[in-house]
Amino acid sequence: MKETDIIIIGAGPTGLFAVFEAGLLRLKCHLIDALPQPGGQLTELYPKKPIFDIPGYPSVGASELVDNLMEQIKQFQPEFTLSETAMTLDKQADGSFIVTTDKGTQIKGKAVAIAGGLGTFEPRKPEIANLTQYEDKGVEYFIKAPDRFVGKRVVIAGGGDSALDWSIFLADIAKSVTLVHRRNEFRAALDSVEKVKALKIKGKINLITPCEVVNLKGEKELSSVIIEKEGHQKELPTDYFIPLFGLTPKLGPIADWGLEIERNAIKVNNALDYQTNIEGVYAIGDVNTYPGKLKLILCGFHEATLMCQGVYNRLYPTRKYVLKYTTVAGVDGFDGTRKEAEKAVIQSI
């Protein structure tokens, strides 16, 4: 069983920044996320879209913000359990917690911080009668290991950033990539749209609009999809069908942990440290609620900071911690690195 100081459920921006604030207090973190990579909604839903309300950044790309957060916390050596959903929470006699995932992974921590954004994400599935029959047999909702598509025929459905970005990426490694969208217009970054158009001209992407996948065929595994364009149907041979229509947020198994829930969000004490009704369990970011709550990334950063202070005071009530600005105290990483401001040079005349 893996052990840590704080188990963070959710590897979105709030969860990632909590690692940094915990590290300043010499607290180790282990993050659990159902998605295959860190970043939460930023990575999965709009990786190339700009964010305008991060202090100090007039504009920053969503994926760029995630990359910066990952670089910022690298020195504190967090551990990740990805592509797994936190299923159960068990409080131990000594006040610690054990979180078990859907794949049986267990992590023991002295505190738990739920930073799951809007909850676990489930893919929005198209209304195709036999869709579930081919799940994990050619139908994929996430691209967890791009190498598996090398030399394969791939059909992607969708018109957002995720659909276009993966079409562009797979065009270099797949045998063929077909992008199907029910409209002629795309709701994605202009740069991505232009790249898809250019790849279509080069013959590297087969772009079909307005069009929908209406049926799937194959004996044991998927072998083709039936597409419909302007009332006419056509069979298209393929190895994989990847519908990318976004994700539906749900609180998921966390709703059964005995937490106080209000309108699908976790109630917390925002007067102190964002602790829930279970001592030692905190909720930060979009997943929580309290009077005056704003679902903004910068608010999540603030909540993560106070949460870490609360955890430290709970774990070490007799220790006196004096808050120092990082510009003065510097930052000591768990990896032995130290970052500090240059010392002033005093010259005599």
Side-chain angles (χ1 to χ4, degrees), residues 158-224:
D161 286 301
S162 185
L164 270 67
D165 289 347
W166 279 119
S167 295
I168 294 166
F169 181 88
L170 294 178
D172 287 331
I173 63 173
K175 181 179 180 180
S176 66
V177 173
T178 299
L179 176 59
V180 175
H181 183 41
R182 59 187 176 183
R183 299 186 181 93
N184 290 319
E185 301 78 23
F186 292 90
R187 299 182 64 181
L190 181 60
D191 177 63
S192 298
V193 176
E194 293 301 323
K195 285 182 179 178
V196 167
K197 289 181 178 178
L199 289 169
K200 176 188 176 183
I201 293 172
K202 292 179 181 179
K204 299 194 71 174
I205 289 180
N206 180 24
L207 180 62
I208 309 176
T209 62
C211 181
E212 290 186 82
V213 175
V214 295
N215 202 2
L216 310 177
K217 296 183 70 175
E219 292 187 10
K220 294 183 178 179
E221 295 188 351
L222 181 69
S223 62
S224 64

Side-chain angles (χ1 to χ4, degrees), residues 6 28 32 47 55 69 83 90 139 141 152 165 179 200 206 230 241 275 297 302 305 314 325 329 332 335:
I6 307 177
K28 292 281 289 182
I32 303 171
L69 287 166
S83 297
D90 298 300
V139 172
Y141 302 109
K152 301 296 184 180
D165 289 347
L179 176 59
K200 176 188 176 183
N206 180 24
E230 298 174 345
F241 171 51
Q275 194 164 198
I297 294 175
H302 164 78
T305 304
R314 175 177 172 269
Y325 298 111
D332 292 308
D335 57 2

Side-chain angles (χ1 to χ4, degrees), residues 244-261:
L244 297 173
F245 297 127
L247 303 170
T248 301
K250 292 185 178 180
L251 205 52
I254 293 173
D256 300 321
W257 288 4
L259 299 162
E260 192 173 354
I261 307 295

Side-chain angles (χ1 to χ4, degrees), residues 49-338:
K49 287 191 176 180
I51 301 171
F52 301 105
D53 58 358
I54 302 299
Y57 287 91
S59 174
V60 60
S63 60
E64 180 186 355
L65 178 60
V66 173
D67 290 342
N68 289 344
L69 287 166
M70 291 293 288
E71 179 65 26
Q72 184 180 31
I73 67 176
K74 182 171 64 175
Q75 60 198 316
F76 295 122
Q77 301 175 320
E79 291 190 68
F80 289 86
T81 295
L82 301 173
S83 297
E84 297 188 30
T85 301
M87 297 296 292
T88 61
L89 173 73
D90 298 300
K91 192 168 187 177
Q92 307 302 295
D94 62 357
S96 64
F97 299 88
I98 295 177
V99 173
T100 304
T101 74
D102 57 338
K103 295 183 180 178
T105 303
Q106 290 191 314
I107 299 100
K108 184 176 182 181
K110 299 172 184 175
V112 175
I114 302 171
L118 298 173
T120 60
F121 290 100
E122 296 183 7
R124 290 193 177 98
K125 301 179 180 181
E127 295 182 0
I128 301 174
N130 59 346
L131 182 70
T132 57
Q133 177 183 335
Y134 295 100
E135 289 179 345
D136 297 322
K137 298 177 182 178
V139 172
E140 304 287 340
Y141 302 109
F142 300 102
I143 298 179
K144 300 177 182 179
D147 289 347
R148 71 188 298 186
F149 302 103
V150 173
K152 301 296 184 180
R153 300 165 299 178
V154 180
V155 174
I156 295 176
D161 286 301
S162 185
L164 270 67
D165 289 347
W166 279 119
S167 295
I168 294 166
F169 181 88
L170 294 178
D172 287 331
I173 63 173
K175 181 179 180 180
S176 66
V177 173
T178 299
L179 176 59
V180 175
H181 183 41
R182 59 187 176 183
R183 299 186 181 93
N184 290 319
E185 301 78 23
F186 292 90
R187 299 182 64 181
L190 181 60
D191 177 63
S192 298
V193 176
E194 293 301 323
K195 285 182 179 178
V196 167
K197 289 181 178 178
L199 289 169
K200 176 188 176 183
I201 293 172
K202 292 179 181 179
K204 299 194 71 174
I205 289 180
N206 180 24
L207 180 62
I208 309 176
T209 62
C211 181
E212 290 186 82
V213 175
V214 295
N215 202 2
L216 310 177
K217 296 183 70 175
E219 292 187 10
K220 294 183 178 179
E221 295 188 351
L222 181 69
S223 62
S224 64
V225 299
I226 306 299
I227 60 174
E228 184 173 300
K229 178 178 171 66
E230 298 174 345
H232 300 285
Q233 293 190 355
K234 176 183 176 181
E235 185 171 348
L236 187 65
T238 189
D239 300 302
Y240 289 98
F241 171 51
I242 310 173
L244 297 173
F245 297 127
L247 303 170
T248 301
K250 292 185 178 180
L251 205 52
I254 293 173
D256 300 321
W257 288 4
L259 299 162
E260 192 173 354
I261 307 295
E262 182 180 283
R263 295 182 180 178
N264 207 39
I266 303 169
K267 291 186 69 174
V268 295
N269 172 15
N270 68 309
L272 186 60
D273 54 11
Y274 302 95
Q275 194 164 198
T276 69
N277 59 304
I278 301 176
E279 184 182 356
V281 178
Y282 305 76
I284 54 177
D286 289 355
V287 77
N288 74 14
T289 187
Y290 53 83
K293 169 69 180 181
L294 293 176
K295 294 190 176 185
L296 297 172
I297 294 175
L298 63 91
C299 294
F301 290 165
H302 164 78
E303 294 166 11
T305 304
L306 296 188
M307 178 275 295
C308 290
Q309 295 285 330
V311 171
Y312 183 89
N313 291 330
R314 175 177 172 269
L315 298 182
Y316 306 107
T318 60
R319 291 187 192 177
K320 186 176 181 181
Y321 173 73
V322 179
L323 177 67
K324 295 181 180 179
Y325 298 111
T326 54
T327 50
V328 175
V331 177
D332 292 308
F334 294 165
D335 57 2
T337 59
R338 177 168 178 77

